[in-house]
Amino acid sequence: MAKKKTDAPQHNPVVNETSLAFFEKYINNPSPTGFEWKGQELWLEYLKPYIDTHYVDNYGTAVGIINPKADYKVVIEAHADEISWFVNYITNDGLIYVIRNGGSDHQIAPSKRVNIHTDNGVVKAVFGWPAIHTRLAGDKEEAPTLKNIFLDCGCTSKEEVEKLGIHVGCVITYEDEFMILNDRYYVGRALDNRAGGFMIAEVARLLKENNVTLPFGLYIVNAVQEEIGLRGAEMIAHKIKPNVAIVTDVTHDTQTPMINKITQGDLACGKGPVVSYAPAVQNNLNKLLIESAQKAGIPFQRQASSRSTGTDTDAFAYSNDGVPSALISLPLRYMHTTVEMIHKEDVDNVIRMIYEALLNIKAGQDFRYIK
């Protein structure tokens, strides 16, 4: 007689009503690359009850610190910025052409509503696109590109646009906002990677609520400018000079159409955090993460990277004299769109995995392979 399969471990929610309200507010607030400070203010306001002190660097990276006098320093890190656009050219007819600020996807732009951020406040606009009736049947249709997507803010001249406060260099964000889909997924723009900032703040909350005394200094870092080359992490790594860094970011759920599992791996929302294998990932630290998850009954997945993780992990790992660094990723669908999706249980489990790992790190721990 076949043995009856045991039920999967019961999921223990971490996110509560108060933290979810913050998460929604935090996601809805625009924080484009290079212009992150309003989001950082919200994040610090939420984080302050759970930390001892904090500071913000010249470019806006925010750092909350627990046990700041400790010599041994552990970083948990995410990035705060979202992809966006810049006003690049205003035509005499009052239309606006754009360039990317980060990895914005030109193919999703047509018919999207946007906010143009000016010194006078937000100006509403839309990405216009020719009607289907005007695109001749049988011809090869012109696809959206950076050369043909444009914004229409309801003006008919360049002078009228400029009177609204719009100028070359104004930053543009989508207006799409947070929602919960089927009581299972969080959906919104900029979950890459303000979800990470939310999760590391929740780790701080758990430490405080559970009266945990850490034997090291914990630096909770929400870095800027990741989307244009890990720049905020590069700067703050040299300021903190950490002994250990645990980074969290998003990775691709590969279960939807048009994604090749042979090249992208087999990862799914709802199946747990993703641990990475890459040259920048320090294997002894990675082993500590995995063992911490296994001991706590936290499901997880694995991912391999060829040369780099493409995340702030690389910036921390190769800073100073080399910092033992590891990456915990959150599976996400539809990256760099306005409908990014993450599973509620994965969010809880990333928080739990970081929390459990911190409980297993010792002050002065030496992660070197050869001692």
Side-chain angles (χ1 to χ4, degrees):
M1 182 177 177
K3 292 183 179 179
K4 185 179 179 180
K5 289 184 179 179
T6 57
D7 293 333
Q10 184 176 355
H11 178 74
N12 297 315
V14 175
V15 176
N16 59 32
E17 289 184 8
T18 301
S19 53
L20 181 59
F22 161 69
F23 189 27
E24 179 172 358
K25 184 178 180 182
Y26 185 46
I27 291 299
N28 290 345
N29 177 82
S31 292
T33 302
F35 302 81
E36 300 94 343
W37 53 85
K38 290 295 183 183
Q40 297 292 61
E41 288 176 346
L42 289 175
W43 185 77
L44 280 171
E45 180 184 356
Y46 181 75
L47 184 67
K48 282 177 183 177
Y50 312 126
I51 59 177
D52 296 322
T53 188
H54 74 279
Y55 62 80
V56 181
D57 77 2
N58 289 330
Y59 277 83
T61 291
V63 182
I65 310 171
I66 297 171
N67 196 15
K69 294 182 179 180
D71 292 330
Y72 197 77
K73 300 175 183 179
V74 175
V75 160
I76 57 175
E77 193 262 12
H79 75 82
D81 58 319
E82 67 179 287
I83 57 171
S84 54
W85 303 95
F86 279 122
V87 172
N88 190 49
Y89 170 61
I90 304 170
T91 72
N92 290 332
D93 296 328
L95 298 176
I96 299 168
Y97 286 83
V98 300
I99 58 171
R100 293 186 177 99
N101 184 18
S104 300
D105 189 346
H106 53 274
Q107 294 202 53
I108 71 161
S111 81
K112 285 290 186 184
R113 303 180 187 203
V114 301
N115 295 322
I116 304 175
H117 300 270
T118 77
D119 292 339
N120 301 329
V122 168
V123 177
K124 296 289 184 179
V126 299
F127 272 110
W129 193 246
I132 190 171
H133 316 71
T134 66
R135 306 198 302 267
L136 298 177
D139 288 1
K140 184 178 180 181
E141 291 206 33
E142 190 173 359
T145 71
L146 277 178
K147 295 179 181 178
N148 63 20
I149 60 172
F150 62 90
L151 289 176
D152 189 332
C153 62
C155 295
T156 57
S157 70
K158 181 177 181 179
E159 292 73 22
E160 193 178 357
V161 172
E162 291 175 338
K163 282 182 181 178
L164 292 175
I166 299 170
H167 57 75
V168 170
C170 282
V171 70
I172 304 151
T173 58
Y174 294 113
E175 67 172 24
D176 300 66
E177 294 193 338
F178 181 89
M179 70 175 182
I180 298 176
L181 193 63
N182 194 28
D183 197 31
R184 184 175 297 156
Y185 291 96
Y186 301 128
V187 179
R189 55 168 236 289
L191 294 177
D192 173 14
N193 179 36
R194 287 210 288 282
F198 169 68
M199 292 186 297
I200 59 176
E202 287 294 271
V203 172
R205 177 176 69 83
L206 291 188
L207 292 168
K208 184 75 170 183
E209 291 178 353
N210 293 332
N211 297 311
V212 174
T213 300
L214 295 172
F216 48 77
L218 181 65
Y219 290 69
I220 303 148
V221 178
N222 208 11
V224 299
Q225 299 194 26
E226 187 272 351
E227 294 290 356
I228 50 91
L230 322 182
R231 299 308 187 191
E234 287 180 353
M235 290 184 275
I236 205 66
H238 287 286
K239 180 175 178 63
I240 297 173
K241 294 181 172 53
N243 300 98
V244 178
I246 298 172
V247 173
T248 186
D249 206 328
V250 296
T251 191
H252 302 287
D253 171 297
T254 61
Q255 307 306 307
T256 56
M258 298 187 289
I259 299 179
N260 188 339
K261 293 185 179 69
I262 295 173
T263 57
Q264 298 295 324
D266 188 4
L267 302 169
C269 288
K271 291 190 176 181
V274 178
V275 294
S276 284
Y277 295 84
V281 173
Q282 213 278 349
N283 291 297
N284 287 333
L285 178 58
N286 215 29
K287 184 178 179 181
L288 183 145
L289 298 183
I290 291 168
E291 290 177 348
S292 297
Q294 290 171 332
K295 185 177 179 181
I298 300 169
F300 66 92
Q301 306 173 77
R302 303 177 197 258
Q303 179 177 35
S305 299
S306 176
R307 295 176 59 87
S308 68
T309 70
T311 72
D312 284 341
T313 312
D314 304 329
F316 276 93
Y318 302 131
S319 70
N320 302 290
D321 296 322
V323 177
S325 301
L327 173 63
I328 302 175
S329 297
L330 178 68
L332 175 143
R333 291 184 170 189
Y334 318 125
M335 192 180 297
H336 286 202
T337 73
T338 60
V339 291
E340 294 179 334
M341 292 174 56
I342 53 177
H343 200 288
K344 292 168 65 174
E345 292 188 2
D346 290 338
V347 171
D348 290 332
N349 283 326
V350 170
I351 296 165
R352 291 179 59 214
M353 190 172 184
I354 297 172
Y355 175 84
E356 294 293 338
L358 293 177
L359 298 185
N360 289 318
I361 295 176
K362 299 176 178 63
Q365 189 159 348
D366 187 346
F367 286 94
R368 289 178 299 168
Y369 302 127
I370 302 170
K371 301 172 186 177

